[in-house]
Amino acid sequence: MATIPEEPSKSESEIDVPSHNSDLLNERHPLKRTWTLWYLNDKKNLDWLQRLHDVCSVDTIEDFWMLIRNVRPPSRLNNTCDYNVFRDHIRPVWEVPENKSGGRWLINIDRSKHPELIDVIWMEILIAMIGEQFGEDSEQICGIVCNIRSKGSKISVWTRDASDEEANKRIGQTIKEKLVNAELPEHISGPVFDTMRYEDHDDVQQKNSSQIKSKLIISSTGN
Ligand code: MGP
């Protein structure tokens, strides 16, 4: 399990204060960056960009958890919808400068496994990202995407430089470590993924789906 940001708990002495201390209720613990949730709706008659909406931005731990509590988990989204959480007002689209030369670590979700598995993977990576668990590579990460699809849903982490192999490898290893060590509900048994692969956004846009080159591959059991 990722360690932060949990909702901050108060020590007993902090809680034991006069009941009208409203400062405690208003206390906010800042995140290092601002994170925005974007939602792609299922109105397939609209252009893709028109389906994409900015839902809410948060920059404190308390507001992050408030947001998570108030939106449906990925497993309860309609087919063809997406969630995106991107940092510092980066739009979750290929076209913007921050994503133009980037790529993604892609995890295909095994449909034969439990439907809630996607929620576990989503929260593990989301918490690691918001909690700056990628160390020196945090700046390389633009955001996380969840695609709900009947053919098999996907979660991907978008990084800004597809040619920075070393940074992307380290990011991939951190994602793997988070997922391999994830605490799973009793009714779900691991591993939560088989392989993750890194794809260049340029290749994804030009693709013939089954033939996208994987620049890097990490399996849950080997390297
Ligand atoms: P998708 O949602 O990434 O994958 O892209 P999906 O639905 O699993 O389909 P597949 O093609 O991978 O099998 C689906 C389509 O959405 C793309 O072909 C584009 O038309 C559109 N689209 C997706 N993204 C991420 C973008 C984007 O960043 N910019 C624009 N303009 N269109 C996008």
Side-chain angles (χ1 to χ4, degrees):
M1 262 306 243
T3 48
I4 52 172
E6 302 271 320
E7 275 185 294
S9 60
K10 307 270 176 239
S11 70
E12 259 182 46
S13 60
E14 282 175 310
I15 293 167
D16 188 17
V17 294
S19 57
H20 291 295
N21 187 343
S22 59
D23 285 352
L24 267 187
L25 296 176
N26 295 328
E27 202 179 345
R28 290 281 184 272
H29 295 77
L31 295 168
K32 189 165 176 198
R33 304 162 206 280
T34 301
W35 297 93
T36 303
L37 174 69
W38 299 76
Y39 172 62
L40 185 84
N41 67 35
D42 57 358
K43 296 181 182 153
K44 294 274 277 183
N45 56 320
L46 297 179
D47 179 65
W48 189 86
L49 286 169
Q50 292 177 307
R51 293 169 55 202
L52 187 63
H53 297 280
D54 163 348
V55 177
C56 181
S57 294
V58 295
D59 58 8
T60 67
I61 296 175
E62 289 78 5
D63 289 347
F64 168 73
W65 285 111
M66 181 82 78
L67 174 63
I68 294 300
R69 273 198 293 268
N70 279 285
V71 295
R72 282 192 254 169
S75 62
R76 291 182 45 221
L77 290 182
N78 287 348
N79 195 32
T80 74
C81 290
D82 294 350
Y83 271 158
N84 306 266
V85 176
F86 274 61
R87 71 172 166 89
D88 301 326
H89 306 289
I90 297 175
R91 282 174 66 78
V93 301
W94 298 317
E95 291 87 347
V96 297
E98 295 89 342
N99 293 323
K100 221 172 173 35
S101 312
R104 64 176 181 180
W105 272 112
L106 175 66
I107 300 167
N108 289 105
I109 314 291
D110 183 346
R111 292 173 67 211
S112 65
K113 294 208 172 152
H114 201 280
E116 285 157 36
L117 183 59
I118 195 163
D119 300 338
V120 174
I121 298 176
W122 174 251
M123 284 309 296
E124 279 298 322
I125 305 177
L126 184 57
I127 289 173
M129 192 176 75
I130 303 269
E132 303 289 327
Q133 305 264 305
F134 292 88
E136 59 178 311
D137 299 315
S138 295
E139 295 289 334
Q140 283 288 323
I141 296 178
C142 296
I144 178 173
V145 179
C146 175
N147 309 114
I148 304 300
R149 301 290 183 270
S150 56
K151 64 186 177 190
S153 296
K154 301 175 274 188
I155 288 184
S156 49
V157 174
W158 285 28
T159 71
R160 63 183 299 152
D161 184 358
S163 68
D164 192 340
E165 197 167 299
E166 288 310 310
N168 290 328
K169 268 188 199 162
R170 286 193 299 269
I171 290 168
Q173 288 298 341
T174 302
I175 297 170
K176 172 182 171 176
E177 183 197 315
K178 298 292 166 195
L179 296 182
V180 167
N181 296 318
E183 254 175 52
L184 300 176
E186 262 174 34
H187 58 284
I188 303 181
S189 57
V192 298
F193 75 102
D194 294 325
T195 55
M196 324 190 288
R197 50 181 205 274
Y198 190 89
E199 301 173 341
D200 199 313
H201 289 322
D202 280 344
D203 293 338
V204 174
Q205 287 170 74
Q206 289 157 17
K207 79 177 165 182
N208 194 327
S209 181
S210 53
Q211 286 155 1
I212 303 172
K213 285 185 292 209
S214 300
K215 293 183 104 172
L216 300 165
I217 298 182
I218 293 178
S219 88
S220 63
T221 45
N223 285 322

